[in-house]
Amino acid sequence: MTDRVTPVPQALPDASRPVTRVAWRDGVPLDGDRVVAEETAVAISYDSAAYAVLMATPRDLEDFALGFSVTEGIITGRADIADLDLVVVPEGVNVRLWLAKTPGEALERRRRRLAGPMGCGLCGLESLAEATRALPVVPQGFTIDATQVAAARDDLANHQPLFEETRAVHAAGFWRPGTGMVAVREDVGRHNALDKLAGALIRGGVDAASGLVVMSSRVSVELVQKAAAMGVPVLVAVSAPSALAIRTAEAAGITLVAVARRDGFEVFTHAGRIVPGGGAEAKQGNTRHVA
């Protein structure tokens, strides 16, 4: 797959835009403006056959399509994509992918009938069995100390420019010991943010098994499924997990860390990867973003 994206007939929509609103403060209406996040319909097709339509923030859409293809089990890596282009149309954006080989059952099994609101990984599945499909098991071996988990959680807040503008998007970041925050992607949907991050890591040649993913959201089963497809050993989130997310993480060999706040965090599965310790490495890692 080449890095070139075919030129589009018109520019992608902005990721945010100012709007006018009336704010009520202390019982008094005040005219003013607010910057809000944009979302647009993104259609994904393979070999000219429509696959899914999702609502997403119109930014990092090549990463989105590549990551979505991997976390949905359509492809296993970048080499499976022969070409990709973006076409802006009045209704949204078409992301067209051409596969390097016949997708066979993997594509047919995951083909969906309905649009998926906010990038939901389960919406429109033709079979309920797909909701609890078997996942690859993440190998053991990776460990990280507790101060580094806290450092990753804190560092995510420093790499969310769209959130700073709008206060209305999720973020997914990849943090690696000794390096710091490698990449962050934002979107109105938490599933989309993780898919964009997955695509960014693939395009950058970054091994997802070498660090942890930290997210600004709660943990649903779909996020655990996507993390397993990426090969992520540790998934950290600022809010709580669902019971099914915990069971899924346990089965997939993922260390699930949630309720990660300034006063600490909670480890729900495979706690052995989190070890006591602390040192300068967690705080002094050099940030390197994947373009």
Side-chain angles (χ1 to χ4, degrees):
M1 173 182 153
T2 65
D3 285 330
R4 178 187 61 82
V5 177
T6 302
V8 297
Q10 62 187 79
L12 288 169
D14 292 333
S16 63
R17 65 180 64 241
V19 298
T20 60
R21 89 287 187 269
V22 178
W24 285 80
R25 300 286 185 264
D26 298 321
V28 178
L30 301 170
D31 293 331
D33 299 324
R34 172 180 283 275
V35 176
V36 298
E38 186 60 271
E39 57 182 325
T40 192
V42 178
I44 297 178
S45 65
Y46 299 97
D47 296 334
S48 300
Y51 180 78
V53 178
L54 306 106
M55 302 305 298
T57 301
R59 176 181 288 178
D60 301 312
L61 293 184
E62 186 177 29
D63 288 341
F64 180 38
L66 181 57
F68 176 86
S69 299
V70 169
T71 64
E72 289 293 293
I74 306 304
I75 64 173
T76 59
R78 183 174 180 172
D80 292 339
I81 300 295
D83 203 359
L84 182 157
D85 65 30
L86 309 178
V87 178
V88 178
V89 295
E91 299 81 9
V93 182
N94 277 328
V95 186
R96 306 185 301 186
L97 301 96
W98 283 266
L99 300 174
K101 57 184 179 181
T102 303
E105 293 183 0
L107 178 56
E108 293 304 321
R109 190 170 56 245
R110 297 289 290 166
R111 194 175 297 279
R112 52 195 65 198
R113 292 192 180 102
L114 303 176
M118 303 294 284
C120 175
L122 301 182
C123 303
L125 289 174
E126 294 184 359
S127 170
L128 289 177
E130 286 294 294
T132 54
R133 65 190 185 275
L135 297 172
V137 177
V138 177
Q140 298 297 312
F142 178 86
T143 60
I144 190 167
D145 75 52
T147 61
Q148 292 175 319
V149 173
R153 176 208 61 212
D154 293 343
D155 207 10
L156 183 65
N158 299 324
H159 298 89
Q160 298 182 60
L162 189 57
F163 178 79
E164 287 297 317
E165 279 190 288
T166 66
R167 300 288 170 173
V169 295
H170 290 292
F174 184 76
W175 197 93
R176 187 162 55 191
T179 303
M181 194 65 75
V182 175
V184 176
R185 293 293 184 266
E186 297 179 275
D187 197 276
V188 290
R190 61 188 187 275
H191 312 89
N192 297 345
L194 185 54
D195 280 335
K196 288 179 177 181
L197 178 65
L201 298 183
I202 293 167
R203 293 182 65 205
V206 178
D207 182 5
S210 66
L212 61 81
V213 165
V214 57
M215 300 202 64
S216 63
S217 64
R218 67 179 179 87
V219 185
S220 60
V221 65
E222 304 98 315
L223 296 182
V224 175
Q225 290 172 333
K226 289 177 182 294
M230 295 167 64
V232 172
V234 180
L235 177 61
V236 180
V238 301
S239 194
S242 71
L244 181 55
I246 294 171
R247 294 194 297 272
T248 304
E250 178 66 37
I254 292 174
T255 298
L256 180 56
V257 179
V259 200
R261 310 285 170 79
R262 292 196 176 277
D263 61 346
F265 54 81
E266 299 176 20
V267 186
F268 291 84
T269 60
H270 298 281
R273 284 200 183 95
I274 312 299
V275 298
E281 182 183 34
K283 300 178 181 178
Q284 295 177 355
N286 296 319
T287 299
R288 180 182 67 82
H289 280 286
V290 174

